[in-house]
Amino acid sequence: MFAKLKSQLHAQTLVAGDSGYDEARKIYNGMIDKHPGIIVRCTTAQEVSQAVRLAREEKLEVSIRSGGHNGAGLALVDGGMVIDLSGMKGIAIDAGKQQAKVEPGNTLSEVDQATHEHGLALPSGIIGSTGIGGITLGGGLGYLSRKGGLTIDNLLECEVVLANGDRVTANATEHPDLFWALRGGGGNFGVVTSFTFNLLPVKNVYAGPMFWPMEKAAEAMRFYDKVTKDAPDDLYGFFAFLIVPSGDPFPEHLHGKNVCGVVWCYTGDLTGAEDVFAPIRAFGPPILDFVSEIPMPALNTMFDQLYPPGLQWYWRAHYVREFSEGFIAQNIAFGKAIPTMHSTTHLYPIDGKVHAVSNGDTAWANRDARWAQVIVGVDPDPGKATEVTNWCKSYYEALQPFAMNKGAYVNFMMEEGAERVQSSYGDNYHRLVKIKSKYDPDNFFHINQNIKPE
Ligand SMILES: Cc1cc2nc3c(=O)[nH]c(=O)nc-3n(C[C@H](O)[C@H](O)[C@H](O)COP(=O)(O)OP(=O)(O)OC[C@H]3O[C@@H](n4cnc5c(N)ncnc54)[C@H](O)[C@@H]3O)c2cc1C
């Protein structure tokens, strides 16, 4: 069957035994080792449409790959067809309108570089190698969330190949139900072959990490909570527990030490940035302070070298509404027990402009949270996979009493079952099921955080 498909498909294809097949089935998470039947490297929407129709005829399971960053490995499918969009790299910027039309194969770093040339930026994630496709459809949290909302809050239009192979445009007036579902509903509704975004006028920022010793962690969490609650939308910071990497640019006396810290991003008037940070610097004082003026793309790629593709990743996530004393104590206990240098936890703020949109306005249903916390067990050595996974799971279990609900940000989930997906969409789930039933009644797109049709 795959030989027949190879001859029919217009796009480049790879099957087991082809040179490049093993490279093409590698994704960001080194724990994932799937063997697709055929990888279809689409470069146009027509090629995607043909791949969808042929996969349907052959009754093949289909996965969609953009940047390949999904922790659970949902970009790949064993034995089925991978629709690989990583070659779709078009980006067109309309500087006058402050908009960008972006194909799904771009990484965040590629989008950043292109927009930065025009003094513009898209609110999105914190690691440059992440794919624009998956992060957008799941929501999109990052340094500019407080100032500009989620990535989906800046999404104006999508071009989509539906489960029957038809191509449609979804925006506020054309297929508005589909457009609503695409903003948070992940890859459930079709293959998005183009995104049109609104951009923000952001060029340089006053940003970077600031660390405090573990002995100050409880005070630091309370201080951070207070500062960010009352701050203007230009001041963003995500809180973290981590181990300081052993090497430049970190001072030697901190190498290998467990610390807590915040990675800040200030987007206001840069001439006043020192004044904004004066009271923050007065707390502690910090044992490391790398906060300074930098170009936005430098911030968005600051941690890329530390987290290259191919490491072992296991993660768990939940939503947090407040820093109670119990929550603080558990985070400190697990922050002291981080198993490897790459393992960490991040608390990504959900505030500012994310709160300006209501839960029912898009499929993304947890805007009443204040943070999305992700706990990541990471190491280059496959021999440490069990250790990092166990730390992550027990940390997650210990925080369950403090979680806002039973859901999580779908982009931070492993394969955790149907109930968890439903909880993540809360009151929006039934509307999503209706839209799924209309656009994909036989659940053709199910290698994802799956919303099952009626
Ligand atoms: C190191 C790292 C850092 C991260 N940082 C952040 C962050 O700062 N903020 C944040 O919000 N998230 C972050 N994430 C999570 C990230 O949003 C998800 O992993 C997301 O799935 C990555 O998108 P991708 O295109 O790279 O993924 P892929 O693995 O290629 O795709 C994941 C899934 O998305 C769907 N999908 C992808 N593209 C399309 C498309 N064009 N059409 C239809 N469906 C599609 C499919 O269901 C697919 O299975 C991070 C992940 C990692 C590993």
Side-chain angles (χ1 to χ4, degrees):
M1 177 225 313
F2 292 121
K4 184 177 125 205
L5 275 175
K6 268 174 98 63
S7 69
Q8 288 174 310
L9 283 158
H10 299 144
Q12 188 206 358
T13 53
L14 292 164
V15 297
D18 285 349
S19 112
Y21 170 82
D22 281 326
E23 203 47 43
R25 69 179 186 85
K26 276 190 195 147
I27 54 171
Y28 186 79
N29 185 355
M31 266 190 207
I32 308 293
D33 180 26
K34 292 190 187 172
H35 291 78
I38 185 162
I39 299 171
V40 188
R41 295 190 137 165
C42 298
T43 52
T44 64
Q46 291 92 315
E47 288 176 355
V48 173
S49 170
Q50 191 203 19
V52 166
R53 289 185 206 276
L54 290 178
R56 192 174 259 295
E57 273 174 30
E58 298 295 342
K59 299 195 172 15
L60 279 176
E61 285 199 289
V62 164
S63 69
I64 309 167
R65 176 195 176 131
S66 284
H69 257 231
N70 184 269
L74 296 171
L76 302 180
V77 54
D78 271 320
M81 176 190 286
V82 177
I83 296 185
D84 182 346
L85 308 167
S86 58
M88 294 184 72
K89 295 277 191 192
I91 302 183
I93 311 278
D94 184 332
K97 284 192 184 163
Q98 299 194 355
Q99 289 180 6
K101 194 166 176 153
V102 178
E103 286 190 328
N106 286 287
T107 62
L108 298 189
S109 161
E110 288 162 340
V111 176
D112 265 352
Q113 288 298 342
T115 59
H116 186 70
E117 284 175 26
H118 302 276
L120 300 168
L122 173 69
S124 205
I126 66 146
I127 297 271
S129 54
T130 310
I132 194 71
I135 195 171
T136 301
L137 295 169
L141 286 164
Y143 294 115
L144 299 179
S145 297
R146 188 166 173 129
K147 185 182 177 70
L150 302 172
T151 310
I152 48 169
D153 299 335
N154 296 278
L155 184 60
L156 301 172
E157 183 170 288
C158 293
E159 285 167 22
V160 192
V161 175
L162 299 177
N164 60 6
D166 286 356
R167 290 167 56 195
V168 298
T169 299
N171 56 34
T173 52
E174 290 173 82
H175 301 284
D177 52 351
L178 177 62
F179 187 53
W180 178 88
L182 288 170
R183 285 174 292 163
N188 273 285
F189 302 93
V191 185
V192 178
T193 54
S194 165
F195 299 91
T196 304
F197 295 109
N198 174 57
L199 303 171
L200 303 185
V202 172
K203 193 166 173 66
N204 285 4
V205 289
Y206 191 79
M210 189 180 273
F211 297 162
W212 297 280
M214 285 305 283
E215 307 82 70
K216 285 256 175 190
E219 269 180 80
M221 284 185 88
R222 289 185 211 113
F223 174 75
Y224 159 80
D225 178 17
K226 189 159 168 285
V227 166
T228 54
K229 194 178 270 171
D230 301 332
D233 284 356
D234 278 318
L235 183 66
Y236 171 99
F238 77 78
F239 199 92
F241 284 94
L242 67 150
I243 293 178
V244 180
S246 302
D248 277 348
F250 300 100
E252 215 174 309
H253 70 278
L254 292 182
H255 288 180
K257 276 210 162 30
N258 292 48
V259 297
C260 65
V262 175
V263 184
W264 298 103
C265 173
Y266 179 68
T267 47
D269 174 13
L270 296 183
T271 57
E274 298 277 345
D275 294 340
V276 171
F277 276 83
I280 295 174
R281 291 190 160 116
F283 170 77
I287 49 172
L288 177 139
D289 179 355
F290 283 167
V291 186
S292 64
E293 184 178 337
I294 49 171
M296 190 66 212
L299 177 63
N300 270 335
T301 51
M302 192 173 269
F303 305 109
D304 284 25
Q305 275 195 328
L306 192 60
Y307 291 104
L311 307 184
Q312 307 286 303
W313 281 74
Y314 189 89
W315 60 14
R316 281 293 171 99
H318 59 193
Y319 291 108
V320 179
R321 202 175 261 153
E322 58 172 5
F323 281 6
S324 65
E325 288 304 309
F327 178 74
I328 290 174
Q330 286 295 355
N331 274 290
I332 293 173
F334 281 90
K336 284 181 181 162
I338 295 175
T340 62
M341 187 275 282
H342 290 87
S343 300
T344 181
T345 188
H346 292 174
L347 283 136
Y348 295 113
I350 295 170
D351 54 16
K353 290 290 185 295
V354 186
H355 283 178
V357 178
S358 70
N359 277 344
D361 289 345
T362 66
W364 211 86
N366 291 279
R367 293 173 188 269
D368 41 344
R370 249 190 95 198
W371 291 276
Q373 178 167 18
V374 64
I375 301 160
V376 291
V378 189
D379 198 74
D381 177 5
K384 295 245 173 80
T386 307
E387 190 187 353
V388 297
T389 302
N390 289 345
W391 170 79
C392 176
K393 283 184 177 168
S394 42
Y395 192 167
Y396 168 77
E397 289 303 330
L399 290 183
Q400 275 314 283
F402 309 102
M404 186 178 91
N405 55 33
K406 293 201 180 308
Y409 174 34
V410 290
N411 274 350
F412 289 159
M413 271 163 50
M414 302 304 272
E415 290 193 86
E416 297 171 40
E419 216 175 297
R420 183 108 154 112
V421 176
Q422 180 163 354
S423 302
S424 301
Y425 289 111
D427 291 342
N428 288 341
Y429 189 73
H430 294 293
R431 188 168 168 192
L432 283 164
V433 169
K434 285 211 155 32
I435 299 170
K436 177 80 172 174
S437 309
K438 176 175 165 187
Y439 288 96
D440 184 12
D442 41 10
N443 208 6
F444 178 75
F445 296 114
H446 64 271
I447 310 290
N448 45 38
Q449 298 298 349
N450 196 226
I451 295 160
K452 290 188 180 43
E454 274 158 344

